[in-house]
Each structure stands twice: as structure tokens, then as C-alpha cells.
Amino acid sequence: MDHLVSTTWLSEQEIIALLDRARNFHKYGARELPGKYTVSNLFFEPSTRTKISFEVAERKLGLDVVPFESGFSSTLKGETLYDTVKTFEAIGVDALVIRHSDEGYYEHLIGKTNVSIINGGDGSGQHPTQSLLDLFTIREEFGSFEGLKIVIAGDIGHSRVARSNADTLTRLGADVTYLCPEEWAGEFDSTSEWTEELLHSDVIMLLRVQHERHDGKMTFTKQGYHEKYGLTLERAKMMKDDAIIMHPAPFNRGVEIDEALIECSKSRIFKQMEYGVYVRMAVLEAVLNGRK
């Protein structure tokens, strides 16, 4: 595997192999990669979890990590993303993790540089490593995906997490329902009402309301959104005993999810963050081994 920019580039067999490798890291701990590799993380949008998770994964694998801060880079002088990537290639970087607001930014890079690209999130397009860590979390809980009923609720149309998970979960056999305000559905067939059947699903995956992508046109108050589309305490009481709550974070407390549910026994939100390191180690290993 030379790059990982979209889940659609992965076969089901490759997805399972990455999850197996991540489980191996989880169970037996990290092993430094043979050989010497240099990587950097180019984040042009704010990030805490993804950026730090990649950095921890890279250091556990023994990689040299070149620091990069977009706010102090030549991009402020008008340098294009392509020229930035070519610069990293020239100074000897093997792989770049890139987050950028432009959807599909990687299409202008693949095939034009020898640097391996890992997509850390592109606009409303794809977030492949978040999808893989979500899959890892679900698999650790239920053992497989076939026949699981999963609700993805929130800002669906703007969500690269929803887009990546819609691809992977359905291909692996899960039954996915999308719940959101009608105007946030994007290309997805969705419902705008919580029903008892939906609340009896195996997984309720909540998504952040992405205020930054609404151009100031948010039509809901925080309380209004929570009451109609959020996971309230009352709705959580209707969930199955063995069902779990997921959220890619950052979460808006009291909006997508009641604050009291964030660390409840059904919540796997912080487990998702922990598992993200193992998944990103597996991805980095696969991509860097692909360069041999």
C-alpha cells in the first residue's frame, strides 16, 4: 500500500488485515520498524486527536518526526500544497499525513511525488483512519460487523467520518441508518426522527455539529438541536443493554450528546481515541513497508 487517502481504495480484505495488525499492536505493544523513515504531519485545519494520535503512533514505531506548523509555514506566503509536498520530498521525508480543507486535495499529489500520502481528513470528503478506528472499536465490542444495526446521527452531509464509515460499514455487512435534519443529509437517504427501533440499535454513532461549515446559517439553537436530534438521557434509557455510544469528537456537550452520557458505561468515546493510536500504527507500517 503506497498511500491511504480514501477507504474506497481499500478492499475488505485489506481493511480486516489493518484491523488485525492494530489488534496485534494493542495486544503485544509497539515494535519499532526496521529501517529509517522520516515523516511529518501537515495539518491545515485544527486538530487535537488525529494529529496527536498520529504523532504518538509515529514515535512508538521509532520514526523521525519533522515538526510542521501551518501558521508558521510558507503557505502564508502563497506556497501551494503541491510545492510544500515537493519541498518535503526534496529534503528526504518518506511519508506525510495531511489534513486540508480542500476535498480531494490528494488527487493533485498522487503520482506527482514519491512521498507517501496518508489522508488525515479532507474537507467533507474522507477520514479513512477515523473510520478504521471506529471499525476497530466496533469489532472489539461485537467481534464482527455482519447484521449489526448502526445509527449515524448528526451533521451527515458535512461529515467526512460519515462518508468513510458509510462506505466501510456497509461493505462489511452492517445495516446503517442516517439520522439528521433534512437539510444536512447530503447524498444520504436519511430520517429525521428517533424511533424505538433506531434506539434499539447496536451502535449509536453521534457526529459533531460542524458550525464552521454552515456559513453562519445554523437554524437550530443548541437546546433545540439536542431535544430533536441529540442523544438525550431519556433516549439513552431505551438503548439495548449491550449497545454502545460512539462519537469521533470533539463533542459539543449538551448538543449531540447529553453531558452525563459522555463517560457512561455504554460510551466508547475515549476508547476510540486509545484505539486510534494502534490503528494509525498499522496504517503507517503498511504504507512505509509499501515503499520497499
Side-chain angles (χ1 to χ4, degrees), residues 224-243:
Y225 180 86
H226 183 61
E227 290 174 357
K228 188 164 177 58
Y229 302 104
L231 187 61
T232 62
L233 287 172
E234 291 72 22
R235 288 180 180 128
K237 290 175 183 174
M238 298 177 67
M239 292 176 63
K240 292 166 58 176
D241 290 342
D242 60 348

PDB file of all heavy atoms in Angstrom, residues 224-243:
ATOM      1  N   GLY A 224     -32.417  23.291  21.130  1.00  0.00           N
ATOM      2  CA  GLY A 224     -33.378  22.778  20.152  1.00  0.00           C
ATOM      3  C   GLY A 224     -32.825  21.585  19.392  1.00  0.00           C
ATOM      4  O   GLY A 224     -33.541  20.601  19.147  1.00  0.00           O
ATOM      5  N   TYR A 225     -31.549  21.667  19.011  1.00  0.00           N
ATOM      6  CA  TYR A 225     -30.932  20.539  18.302  1.00  0.00           C
ATOM      7  C   TYR A 225     -30.876  19.319  19.219  1.00  0.00           C
ATOM      8  O   TYR A 225     -31.190  18.197  18.811  1.00  0.00           O
ATOM      9  CB  TYR A 225     -29.519  20.902  17.827  1.00  0.00           C
ATOM     10  CG  TYR A 225     -28.855  19.761  17.102  1.00  0.00           C
ATOM     11  CD1 TYR A 225     -29.060  19.588  15.734  1.00  0.00           C
ATOM     12  CD2 TYR A 225     -28.084  18.821  17.776  1.00  0.00           C
ATOM     13  CE1 TYR A 225     -28.483  18.518  15.054  1.00  0.00           C
ATOM     14  CE2 TYR A 225     -27.512  17.749  17.125  1.00  0.00           C
ATOM     15  CZ  TYR A 225     -27.716  17.604  15.760  1.00  0.00           C
ATOM     16  OH  TYR A 225     -27.160  16.540  15.096  1.00  0.00           O
ATOM     17  N   HIS A 226     -30.461  19.543  20.471  1.00  0.00           N
ATOM     18  CA  HIS A 226     -30.323  18.429  21.419  1.00  0.00           C
ATOM     19  C   HIS A 226     -31.658  17.721  21.625  1.00  0.00           C
ATOM     20  O   HIS A 226     -31.725  16.486  21.639  1.00  0.00           O
ATOM     21  CB  HIS A 226     -29.806  18.969  22.752  1.00  0.00           C
ATOM     22  CG  HIS A 226     -29.548  17.903  23.769  1.00  0.00           C
ATOM     23  ND1 HIS A 226     -28.627  16.899  23.578  1.00  0.00           N
ATOM     24  CD2 HIS A 226     -30.096  17.671  24.996  1.00  0.00           C
ATOM     25  CE1 HIS A 226     -28.615  16.096  24.625  1.00  0.00           C
ATOM     26  NE2 HIS A 226     -29.503  16.539  25.507  1.00  0.00           N
ATOM     27  N   GLU A 227     -32.713  18.500  21.770  1.00  0.00           N
ATOM     28  CA  GLU A 227     -34.027  17.899  22.041  1.00  0.00           C
ATOM     29  C   GLU A 227     -34.540  17.084  20.855  1.00  0.00           C
ATOM     30  O   GLU A 227     -35.189  16.068  21.032  1.00  0.00           O
ATOM     31  CB  GLU A 227     -35.022  19.007  22.396  1.00  0.00           C
ATOM     32  CG  GLU A 227     -34.736  19.639  23.766  1.00  0.00           C
ATOM     33  CD  GLU A 227     -35.635  20.826  24.052  1.00  0.00           C
ATOM     34  OE1 GLU A 227     -36.438  21.185  23.165  1.00  0.00           O
ATOM     35  OE2 GLU A 227     -35.514  21.401  25.146  1.00  0.00           O
ATOM     36  N   LYS A 228     -34.237  17.520  19.629  1.00  0.00           N
ATOM     37  CA  LYS A 228     -34.804  16.837  18.463  1.00  0.00           C
ATOM     38  C   LYS A 228     -33.880  15.768  17.881  1.00  0.00           C
ATOM     39  O   LYS A 228     -34.318  14.713  17.452  1.00  0.00           O
ATOM     40  CB  LYS A 228     -35.151  17.859  17.372  1.00  0.00           C
ATOM     41  CG  LYS A 228     -35.923  17.257  16.202  1.00  0.00           C
ATOM     42  CD  LYS A 228     -36.579  18.310  15.347  1.00  0.00           C
ATOM     43  CE  LYS A 228     -37.288  17.705  14.127  1.00  0.00           C
ATOM     44  NZ  LYS A 228     -38.307  16.730  14.503  1.00  0.00           N
ATOM     45  N   TYR A 229     -32.557  16.055  17.878  1.00  0.00           N
ATOM     46  CA  TYR A 229     -31.639  15.133  17.189  1.00  0.00           C
ATOM     47  C   TYR A 229     -30.562  14.540  18.086  1.00  0.00           C
ATOM     48  O   TYR A 229     -29.846  13.626  17.686  1.00  0.00           O
ATOM     49  CB  TYR A 229     -30.964  15.862  16.016  1.00  0.00           C
ATOM     50  CG  TYR A 229     -31.940  16.414  15.022  1.00  0.00           C
ATOM     51  CD1 TYR A 229     -32.231  17.780  14.992  1.00  0.00           C
ATOM     52  CD2 TYR A 229     -32.600  15.584  14.111  1.00  0.00           C
ATOM     53  CE1 TYR A 229     -33.140  18.305  14.078  1.00  0.00           C
ATOM     54  CE2 TYR A 229     -33.505  16.088  13.198  1.00  0.00           C
ATOM     55  CZ  TYR A 229     -33.778  17.457  13.199  1.00  0.00           C
ATOM     56  OH  TYR A 229     -34.685  17.956  12.297  1.00  0.00           O
ATOM     57  N   GLY A 230     -30.376  15.076  19.287  1.00  0.00           N
ATOM     58  CA  GLY A 230     -29.298  14.599  20.148  1.00  0.00           C
ATOM     59  C   GLY A 230     -29.656  13.324  20.893  1.00  0.00           C
ATOM     60  O   GLY A 230     -30.814  12.880  20.903  1.00  0.00           O
ATOM     61  N   LEU A 231     -28.629  12.718  21.515  1.00  0.00           N
ATOM     62  CA  LEU A 231     -28.868  11.570  22.381  1.00  0.00           C
ATOM     63  C   LEU A 231     -29.092  12.102  23.787  1.00  0.00           C
ATOM     64  O   LEU A 231     -28.150  12.463  24.501  1.00  0.00           O
ATOM     65  CB  LEU A 231     -27.679  10.599  22.348  1.00  0.00           C
ATOM     66  CG  LEU A 231     -27.912   9.286  23.100  1.00  0.00           C
ATOM     67  CD1 LEU A 231     -29.083   8.508  22.498  1.00  0.00           C
ATOM     68  CD2 LEU A 231     -26.655   8.427  23.108  1.00  0.00           C
ATOM     69  N   THR A 232     -30.352  12.145  24.168  1.00  0.00           N
ATOM     70  CA  THR A 232     -30.733  12.636  25.493  1.00  0.00           C
ATOM     71  C   THR A 232     -30.697  11.489  26.493  1.00  0.00           C
ATOM     72  O   THR A 232     -30.632  10.305  26.125  1.00  0.00           O
ATOM     73  CB  THR A 232     -32.154  13.221  25.451  1.00  0.00           C
ATOM     74  OG1 THR A 232     -33.058  12.163  25.085  1.00  0.00           O
ATOM     75  CG2 THR A 232     -32.265  14.348  24.427  1.00  0.00           C
ATOM     76  N   LEU A 233     -30.795  11.818  27.771  1.00  0.00           N
ATOM     77  CA  LEU A 233     -30.850  10.780  28.810  1.00  0.00           C
ATOM     78  C   LEU A 233     -32.046   9.867  28.597  1.00  0.00           C
ATOM     79  O   LEU A 233     -31.961   8.644  28.772  1.00  0.00           O
ATOM     80  CB  LEU A 233     -30.902  11.430  30.189  1.00  0.00           C
ATOM     81  CG  LEU A 233     -29.608  12.082  30.692  1.00  0.00           C
ATOM     82  CD1 LEU A 233     -29.876  12.849  31.990  1.00  0.00           C
ATOM     83  CD2 LEU A 233     -28.527  11.035  30.906  1.00  0.00           C
ATOM     84  N   GLU A 234     -33.175  10.461  28.223  1.00  0.00           N
ATOM     85  CA  GLU A 234     -34.393   9.669  28.022  1.00  0.00           C
ATOM     86  C   GLU A 234     -34.208   8.692  26.869  1.00  0.00           C
ATOM     87  O   GLU A 234     -34.619   7.526  26.959  1.00  0.00           O
ATOM     88  CB  GLU A 234     -35.571  10.599  27.741  1.00  0.00           C
ATOM     89  CG  GLU A 234     -36.014  11.445  28.924  1.00  0.00           C
ATOM     90  CD  GLU A 234     -35.035  12.567  29.275  1.00  0.00           C
ATOM     91  OE1 GLU A 234     -34.246  12.953  28.379  1.00  0.00           O
ATOM     92  OE2 GLU A 234     -35.034  13.019  30.423  1.00  0.00           O
ATOM     93  N   ARG A 235     -33.607   9.137  25.785  1.00  0.00           N
ATOM     94  CA  ARG A 235     -33.398   8.228  24.649  1.00  0.00           C
ATOM     95  C   ARG A 235     -32.387   7.140  25.037  1.00  0.00           C
ATOM     96  O   ARG A 235     -32.536   5.981  24.643  1.00  0.00           O
ATOM     97  CB  ARG A 235     -32.903   9.027  23.433  1.00  0.00           C
ATOM     98  CG  ARG A 235     -34.004   9.894  22.833  1.00  0.00           C
ATOM     99  CD  ARG A 235     -33.529  10.679  21.625  1.00  0.00           C
ATOM    100  NE  ARG A 235     -34.644  11.475  21.104  1.00  0.00           N
ATOM    101  CZ  ARG A 235     -34.578  12.773  20.863  1.00  0.00           C
ATOM    102  NH1 ARG A 235     -33.461  13.439  21.053  1.00  0.00           N
ATOM    103  NH2 ARG A 235     -35.637  13.412  20.414  1.00  0.00           N
ATOM    104  N   ALA A 236     -31.346   7.507  25.761  1.00  0.00           N
ATOM    105  CA  ALA A 236     -30.326   6.519  26.135  1.00  0.00           C
ATOM    106  C   ALA A 236     -30.916   5.393  26.973  1.00  0.00           C
ATOM    107  O   ALA A 236     -30.454   4.248  26.907  1.00  0.00           O
ATOM    108  CB  ALA A 236     -29.190   7.207  26.885  1.00  0.00           C
ATOM    109  N   LYS A 237     -31.936   5.688  27.768  1.00  0.00           N
ATOM    110  CA  LYS A 237     -32.570   4.655  28.605  1.00  0.00           C
ATOM    111  C   LYS A 237     -33.249   3.582  27.759  1.00  0.00           C
ATOM    112  O   LYS A 237     -33.503   2.473  28.236  1.00  0.00           O
ATOM    113  CB  LYS A 237     -33.592   5.305  29.542  1.00  0.00           C
ATOM    114  CG  LYS A 237     -32.962   6.149  30.648  1.00  0.00           C
ATOM    115  CD  LYS A 237     -34.027   6.856  31.468  1.00  0.00           C
ATOM    116  CE  LYS A 237     -33.391   7.750  32.526  1.00  0.00           C
ATOM    117  NZ  LYS A 237     -34.394   8.571  33.246  1.00  0.00           N
ATOM    118  N   MET A 238     -33.552   3.903  26.493  1.00  0.00           N
ATOM    119  CA  MET A 238     -34.227   2.946  25.613  1.00  0.00           C
ATOM    120  C   MET A 238     -33.235   2.064  24.854  1.00  0.00           C
ATOM    121  O   MET A 238     -33.638   1.143  24.146  1.00  0.00           O
ATOM    122  CB  MET A 238     -35.129   3.690  24.625  1.00  0.00           C
ATOM    123  CG  MET A 238     -36.248   4.475  25.289  1.00  0.00           C
ATOM    124  SD  MET A 238     -37.229   5.404  24.096  1.00  0.00           S
ATOM    125  CE  MET A 238     -38.012   4.067  23.202  1.00  0.00           C
ATOM    126  N   MET A 239     -31.946   2.340  24.967  1.00  0.00           N
ATOM    127  CA  MET A 239     -30.947   1.560  24.225  1.00  0.00           C
ATOM    128  C   MET A 239     -30.867   0.137  24.772  1.00  0.00           C
ATOM    129  O   MET A 239     -31.177  -0.122  25.934  1.00  0.00           O
ATOM    130  CB  MET A 239     -29.570   2.239  24.325  1.00  0.00           C
ATOM    131  CG  MET A 239     -29.481   3.564  23.588  1.00  0.00           C
ATOM    132  SD  MET A 239     -27.880   4.393  23.832  1.00  0.00           S
ATOM    133  CE  MET A 239     -26.741   3.224  23.094  1.00  0.00           C
ATOM    134  N   LYS A 240     -30.429  -0.787  23.925  1.00  0.00           N
ATOM    135  CA  LYS A 240     -30.221  -2.169  24.344  1.00  0.00           C
ATOM    136  C   LYS A 240     -29.138  -2.226  25.413  1.00  0.00           C
ATOM    137  O   LYS A 240     -28.241  -1.367  25.467  1.00  0.00           O
ATOM    138  CB  LYS A 240     -29.787  -3.012  23.137  1.00  0.00           C
ATOM    139  CG  LYS A 240     -30.867  -3.191  22.099  1.00  0.00           C
ATOM    140  CD  LYS A 240     -30.312  -3.721  20.791  1.00  0.00           C
ATOM    141  CE  LYS A 240     -29.598  -5.037  20.935  1.00  0.00           C
ATOM    142  NZ  LYS A 240     -29.155  -5.570  19.602  1.00  0.00           N
ATOM    143  N   ASP A 241     -29.187  -3.263  26.255  1.00  0.00           N
ATOM    144  CA  ASP A 241     -28.225  -3.375  27.349  1.00  0.00           C
ATOM    145  C   ASP A 241     -26.784  -3.429  26.840  1.00  0.00           C
ATOM    146  O   ASP A 241     -25.866  -2.902  27.479  1.00  0.00           O
ATOM    147  CB  ASP A 241     -28.517  -4.626  28.184  1.00  0.00           C
ATOM    148  CG  ASP A 241     -29.799  -4.480  28.994  1.00  0.00           C
ATOM    149  OD1 ASP A 241     -30.268  -3.332  29.180  1.00  0.00           O
ATOM    150  OD2 ASP A 241     -30.345  -5.510  29.432  1.00  0.00           O
ATOM    151  N   ASP A 242     -26.582  -4.103  25.692  1.00  0.00           N
ATOM    152  CA  ASP A 242     -25.210  -4.271  25.205  1.00  0.00           C
ATOM    153  C   ASP A 242     -24.862  -3.290  24.088  1.00  0.00           C
ATOM    154  O   ASP A 242     -23.824  -3.433  23.422  1.00  0.00           O
ATOM    155  CB  ASP A 242     -24.984  -5.701  24.709  1.00  0.00           C
ATOM    156  CG  ASP A 242     -25.911  -6.078  23.555  1.00  0.00           C
ATOM    157  OD1 ASP A 242     -26.880  -5.320  23.289  1.00  0.00           O
ATOM    158  OD2 ASP A 242     -25.678  -7.118  22.923  1.00  0.00           O
ATOM    159  N   ALA A 243     -25.706  -2.300  23.860  1.00  0.00           N
ATOM    160  CA  ALA A 243     -25.417  -1.308  22.812  1.00  0.00           C
ATOM    161  C   ALA A 243     -24.352  -0.320  23.299  1.00  0.00           C
ATOM    162  O   ALA A 243     -24.151  -0.145  24.504  1.00  0.00           O
ATOM    163  CB  ALA A 243     -26.689  -0.554  22.445  1.00  0.00           C
TER     164      ALA A 243
END
